[in-house]
């Protein structure tokens, strides 16, 4: 990804900060986190498929019992990515694909495994006071490369205090460490993090998730306050300091063609057999090769011929590839959704005067216009689930006991359901919109309303989805939709991001290009109506992150949404919840409000359709597949 929006292609409240925003939209990628191993961040589809929903959290995944036979080490694991990466500097990367590549050679503090269990890697986080103070215990067998020596708590504390919390460095994790969060060293291998208020889900925010960086490497840049130098440091860019801190060692990085790694025979997790017995001699490949292959057809061809061990498989070819003797396709739950986003800013709704997207009843009407089950079956070939609110059904935070309106299904689908709600909306505005006898929505000039819908160029599944939405809007809402292809980066820069107003200091808020001010006063360079270019992360492990999408003055509101419900108060309740039960109750109310308000067309959660060579042992059909990637091996 070259844009910061969590592309899911075929391939403010003090609780929300820029890092959580980045995580919410899927760009703070790190290998070893759930669902990212083997992919490249741009070539991976998303969420929970119908036939794996029951074990999406991996709670029923069988675990080996008794003695486990340790595989032989040998061979090469091959993977492909769809585009080159800009940096492998772990302090500044915000790109999911690069995060995966960094993660082959450098672990982060912890990850999550089946059942949403926190898996300590470099350190373990625990709390005994309800989530206000967290203790980090660092493993004592961690070694940097070169002359940097042993990793201790001091390295992590120095990184946070002198770099992440500084005014000059501007790392990707800076906003994870506000002044109200303190970190102190309490022992050679122990540190303590104290929050301003308790947070039961703090590890799941990934705010305390850190890379290990040698204090001695950082000190010269800290002394000079040299951010540019830190970004360009060759030891950081080429991961030369990683010692035994990753399963593999980066040997070569060709900026245009890919990376080559070799096995790290001293990998520290070999001592973590209590977590997984297969870590005993991990990793099990002598080399790992990652190649840049930009064309999807070429990536699929490489999977078919055995030139790669992994490639994402489009919906229309899942059955074909799963039927091959040398390929297994795993349908893996992922958190990203398919959404049709409406532009509620001043330059949105170009069909006539006013902006009907701002009307709740109008958005509800559009929600009734698209047959979501037909979308899932037709476009995604059944490898997806319908979405009604901002959580997949398998999430523990889904409001299963609440009355969630299921727009786009049953009585809430079709022309009558759509047009009756749109009629209520147009009766509520000052402009003379109307329906004619043929069910067409006319603007005050008497012309049929025509809107534009953008999708990413070259994404076949996305194009099919856009065309389906267009057909449904015309059939049920009486609105003509023109479908336009555009490069994702172009849409991001010229349509999605707003231009910062010259009087930004005088506005009620102005928080950067993704929410430069109130919707009447800050717009993008070019007008647009609707888009399916970006999929967004619903963050089922930490739904508090969703706050960033549903507050009018958050860091991230390019579409200009203003809730019709008291969002700030409910999010404050959620952030201050003192028990899981209390948090569940508040989040349930929030997600019902989101479903009712229809801030965007919430359509589907496609599965990640991961094609692996049949002799690779390790992938699973659950959300956490990949957490134990160093223990994967090739079956003889």
């Amino acid at each position: 990804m070259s844009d910061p929006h969590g592309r899911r292609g075929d391939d403010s409240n003090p609780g929300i900060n820029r890092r959580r925003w980045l995580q919410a939209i899927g760009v703070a990628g790190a290998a070893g986190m759930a669902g990212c191993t083997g992919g490249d961040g741009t070539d991976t589809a998303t969420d929970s498929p119908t036939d794996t929903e029951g074990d999406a959290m991996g709670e029923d995944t069988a675990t080996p019992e008794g003695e486990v036979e340790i595989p032989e080490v040998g061979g090469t694991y091959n993977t492909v990515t769809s585009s080159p990466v800009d940096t492998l500097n772990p302090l500044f990367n915000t790109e999911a694909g690069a995060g995966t590549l960094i993660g082959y050679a450098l672990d982060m503090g912890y990850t999550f495994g089946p059942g949403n269990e926190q898996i300590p890697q470099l350190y373990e986080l625990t709390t005994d006071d309800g989530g206000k103070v967290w203790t980090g215990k660092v493993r004592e067998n961690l070694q940097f490369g070169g002359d940097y020596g042993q990793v201790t708590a001091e390295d992590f504390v120095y990184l946070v205090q002198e770099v992440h919390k500084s005014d000059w460095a501007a790392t990707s994790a800076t906003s994870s460490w506000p002044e109200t969060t303190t970190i102190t060293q309490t022992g050679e291998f122990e540190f303590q993090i104290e929050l301003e208020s308790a947070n039961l889900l703090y590890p799941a925010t990934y705010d305390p998730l850190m890379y290990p960086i040698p204090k001695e490497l950082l000190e010269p840049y800290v002394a000079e306050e040299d951010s540019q130098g830190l970004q360009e440091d060759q030891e950081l860019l080429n991961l030369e300091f990683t010692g035994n801190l990753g399963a593999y060692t980066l040997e070569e990085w060709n900026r245009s063609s890919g990376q080559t790694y070799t096995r790290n025979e001293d990998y520290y997790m070999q001592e973590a057999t209590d977590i997984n017995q297969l870590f005993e001699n991990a990793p099990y490949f002598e080399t790992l090769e990652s190649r840049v292959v930009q064309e999807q057809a070429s990536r699929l061809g490489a999977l078919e011929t055995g030139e790669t061990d992994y490639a994402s498989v489009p919906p229309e070819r899942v059955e074909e590839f799963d039927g091959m003797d040398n390929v297994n396709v795993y349908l893996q739950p992922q958190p990203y959704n398919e959404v049709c986003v409406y532009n509620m800013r001043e330059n949105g709704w170009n069909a006539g005067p006013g902006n009907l997207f701002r009307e709740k009843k109008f958005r509800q009407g559009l929600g009734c216009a698209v047959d979501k089950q037909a979308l899932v079956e037709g476009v995604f070939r059944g490898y997806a689930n319908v979405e009604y609110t901002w959580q997949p059904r398998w999430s523990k935070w889904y409001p299963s006991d609440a009355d969630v309106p299921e727009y786009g299904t049953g009585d809430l689908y079709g022309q009558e359901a759509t047009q009756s709600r749109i009629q209520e909306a147009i009766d509520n505005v000052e402009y003379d919109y109307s329906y004619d006898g043929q069910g067409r929505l006319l603007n005050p000039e008497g012309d049929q309303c025509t809107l534009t819908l953008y999708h990413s160029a070259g994404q076949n599944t996305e194009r099919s989805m856009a065309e389906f939405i267009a057909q449904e809007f015309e059939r049920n809402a009486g609105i003509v939709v023109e479908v336009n292809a555009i490069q994702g980066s172009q849409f991001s820069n010229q349509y999605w991001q707003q231009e910062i107003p010259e009087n930004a200091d005088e506005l009620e808020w102005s928080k950067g290009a993704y929410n430069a001010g109130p919707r009447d006063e800050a717009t993008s360079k070019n007008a647009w109506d609707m888009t399916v270019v970006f999929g967004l992360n619903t963050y089922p492990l930490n739904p508090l992150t969703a706050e960033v999408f549903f507050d009018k003055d958050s860091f991230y509101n390019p579409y200009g949404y203003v809730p019709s419900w008291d969002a700030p108060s409910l999010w404050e309740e959620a952030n201050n919840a003192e028990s899981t039960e209390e948090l569940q109750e508040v989040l349930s109310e929030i997600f019902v409000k989101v479903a009712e308000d229809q801030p965007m067309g919430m359509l589907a959660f496609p599965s990640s359709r991961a094609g692996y060579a049949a002799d690779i042992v390790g992938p699973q059909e659950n959300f956490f597949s990949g957490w134990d990637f160093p223990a994967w091996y090739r079956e003889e």
Side-chain angles (χ1 to χ4, degrees):
M1 292 178 296
S2 59
D3 60 81
H5 313 293
R7 268 293 303 131
R8 71 58 296 254
D10 296 330
D11 107 295
S12 123
N13 183 295
I16 286 291
N17 58 41
R18 187 173 182 273
R19 179 109 187 271
R20 288 181 67 182
W21 156 55
L22 291 173
Q23 292 156 355
I25 47 188
V27 297
M33 290 186 193
C36 66
T37 296
D40 64 4
T42 60
D43 192 39
T44 303
T46 50
D47 194 89
S48 166
T50 301
D51 54 357
T52 66
E53 188 177 82
D55 192 31
M57 297 297 283
E59 295 171 331
D60 299 328
T61 301
T63 54
E65 296 182 358
E67 291 298 318
V68 173
E69 183 177 351
I70 302 302
E72 293 292 326
V73 174
T76 300
Y77 181 85
N78 292 288
T79 187
V80 290
T81 65
S82 62
S83 60
V85 296
D86 296 326
T87 184
L88 293 180
N89 187 325
L91 294 181
F92 294 92
N93 173 60
T94 58
E95 191 175 320
T100 297
L101 297 172
I102 293 168
Y104 292 137
L106 184 65
D107 286 347
M108 297 187 82
Y110 58 90
T111 186
F112 290 94
N116 196 23
E117 178 186 1
Q118 184 192 147
I119 307 294
Q121 294 182 150
L122 307 176
Y123 52 81
E124 181 179 21
L125 287 176
T126 59
T127 182
D128 57 11
D129 69 348
K132 183 173 174 62
V133 176
W134 292 81
T135 299
K137 293 185 178 180
V138 180
R139 290 184 184 272
E140 297 184 21
N141 64 335
L142 308 179
Q143 293 288 331
F144 289 120
D147 298 325
Y148 290 119
Q150 188 173 19
V151 180
T152 68
E154 183 180 20
D155 293 293
F156 294 107
V157 173
Y158 185 86
L159 171 65
V160 173
Q161 291 181 341
E162 302 298 332
V163 181
H164 291 328
K165 290 173 75 77
S166 72
D167 294 329
W168 59 270
T171 68
S172 61
T174 290
S175 295
S176 289
W177 300 98
E179 288 303 314
T180 53
T181 297
T182 61
I183 181 171
T184 54
Q185 184 176 352
T186 53
E188 184 177 7
F189 299 102
E190 184 176 290
F191 58 84
Q192 208 170 72
I193 301 171
E194 184 171 354
L195 309 180
E196 182 178 24
S197 58
N199 186 342
L200 295 168
L201 301 181
Y202 185 54
T205 68
Y206 291 162
D207 280 347
L209 192 60
M210 293 180 279
Y211 285 110
I213 308 294
K215 175 186 175 183
E216 290 80 0
L217 188 157
L218 297 172
E219 284 178 321
Y221 300 107
V222 171
E224 298 295 327
E225 297 189 351
D226 183 6
S227 178
Q228 188 67 28
L230 192 60
Q231 293 180 50
E232 296 173 354
D233 182 274
Q234 290 302 301
E235 288 187 271
L236 291 172
L237 280 172
N238 295 307
L239 303 174
E240 296 172 3
F241 63 93
T242 56
N244 73 345
L245 305 177
Y248 296 90
T249 300
L250 179 65
E251 295 293 342
E252 181 181 2
W253 175 23
N254 184 302
R255 297 304 196 268
S256 60
S257 62
Q259 295 78 22
T260 300
Y261 303 79
T262 57
R263 179 176 181 267
N264 190 339
E265 62 181 20
D266 297 321
Y267 184 40
Y268 75 96
M269 285 292 277
Q270 290 174 356
E271 297 184 18
T273 53
D274 58 320
I275 296 175
N276 186 337
Q277 292 183 58
L278 288 174
F279 283 147
E280 180 178 318
N281 199 31
Y284 293 99
F285 299 100
E286 286 288 0
T287 56
L288 187 153
E289 298 277 350
S290 178
R291 294 184 296 119
V292 176
V293 180
Q294 297 191 5
E295 293 298 322
Q296 183 186 68
S298 298
R299 296 193 296 273
L300 292 172
L303 179 63
E304 183 175 3
T305 59
E307 297 174 69
T308 184
D309 292 307
Y310 165 84
S312 180
V313 180
E316 66 275 11
R317 301 195 67 181
V318 168
E319 188 173 348
E320 172 193 350
F321 273 85
D322 205 30
M324 297 178 183
D325 292 338
N326 64 324
V327 175
N328 290 329
V329 179
Y330 296 84
L331 303 178
Q332 297 166 337
Q334 293 294 327
Y336 301 92
N337 57 10
E338 299 286 354
V339 285
C340 181
V341 182
Y342 315 127
N343 184 6
M344 290 170 264
R345 292 188 175 272
E346 189 65 21
N347 65 345
W349 183 260
N350 295 283
N355 189 328
L356 295 184
F357 289 134
R358 297 182 180 184
E359 296 292 317
K360 174 179 176 178
K361 280 294 181 180
F362 185 79
R363 298 193 302 270
Q364 289 179 347
L366 295 182
C368 295
V370 179
D371 185 336
K372 294 180 180 179
Q373 192 60 46
L375 174 71
V376 164
E377 295 296 334
V379 173
F380 297 101
R381 308 299 174 97
Y383 303 118
N385 284 319
V386 168
E387 179 186 10
Y388 296 116
T389 191
W390 209 255
Q391 286 289 281
R393 284 183 178 272
W394 53 262
S395 165
K396 68 176 289 186
W397 307 106
Y398 186 86
S400 54
D401 296 331
D403 187 14
V404 179
E406 298 183 347
Y407 290 108
T409 301
D411 293 339
L412 292 180
Y413 167 72
Q415 187 177 95
E416 194 283 328
T418 299
Q419 295 193 8
S420 62
R421 287 167 175 78
I422 290 179
Q423 186 65 54
E424 286 188 61
I426 62 180
D427 287 345
N428 193 48
V429 300
E430 60 181 298
Y431 303 105
D432 190 19
Y433 287 90
S434 62
Y435 274 107
D436 67 9
Q438 301 177 54
R440 298 180 302 178
L441 182 63
L442 307 181
N443 65 21
E445 300 298 319
D447 300 319
Q448 186 172 13
C449 290
T450 300
L451 301 173
T452 56
L453 173 60
Y454 287 94
H455 71 85
S456 294
Q459 301 288 356
N460 295 335
T461 303
E462 194 175 285
R463 183 191 67 225
S464 296
M465 178 173 63
E467 291 173 345
F468 181 82
I469 293 169
Q471 293 168 6
E472 291 284 84
F473 274 23
E474 185 164 9
R475 176 187 296 116
N476 293 317
I479 297 170
V480 173
V481 177
E482 297 176 351
V483 173
N484 297 325
I486 191 170
Q487 293 296 327
S489 58
Q490 181 185 358
F491 186 82
S492 172
N493 294 330
Q494 299 184 19
Y495 295 80
W496 195 244
Q497 300 178 42
Q498 295 110 59
E499 297 182 301
I500 308 299
E502 292 183 1
N503 64 335
D505 292 342
E506 302 172 8
L507 300 180
E508 184 180 353
W509 71 83
S510 185
K511 297 187 176 180
Y514 301 101
N515 192 359
R519 61 192 187 184
D520 287 330
E521 300 175 84
T523 62
S524 54
K525 180 178 181 180
N526 295 318
W528 61 281
D529 295 315
M530 301 181 293
T531 178
V532 292
V533 168
F534 300 125
L536 301 171
N537 195 337
T538 60
Y539 240 69
L541 301 189
N542 176 30
L544 292 173
T545 307
E547 178 180 2
V548 77
F549 296 118
F550 306 121
D551 271 345
K552 66 180 182 179
D553 56 355
S554 75
F555 285 97
Y556 195 80
N557 189 4
Y559 31 81
Y561 170 58
V562 176
S564 66
W565 46 289
D566 188 0
S569 294
L570 281 176
W571 285 118
E572 183 177 6
E573 284 186 43
N575 280 294
N576 293 327
E578 296 182 354
S579 69
T580 300
E581 293 73 23
E582 182 183 350
L583 181 59
Q584 183 84 60
E585 183 178 348
V586 180
L587 287 174
S588 181
E589 183 177 357
I590 286 173
F591 291 132
V592 169
K593 295 290 188 185
V594 169
E596 292 172 345
D597 223 34
Q598 291 290 294
M600 58 191 75
M602 296 170 284
L603 302 171
F605 286 104
S607 65
S608 172
R609 303 164 300 273
Y612 286 96
D615 57 359
I616 296 296
V617 179
Q620 299 287 332
E621 286 195 325
N622 62 56
F623 180 71
F624 301 96
S625 183
W627 75 269
D628 58 350
F629 176 69
W632 290 14
Y633 60 94
R634 194 181 306 278
E635 194 170 44
E636 297 298 329

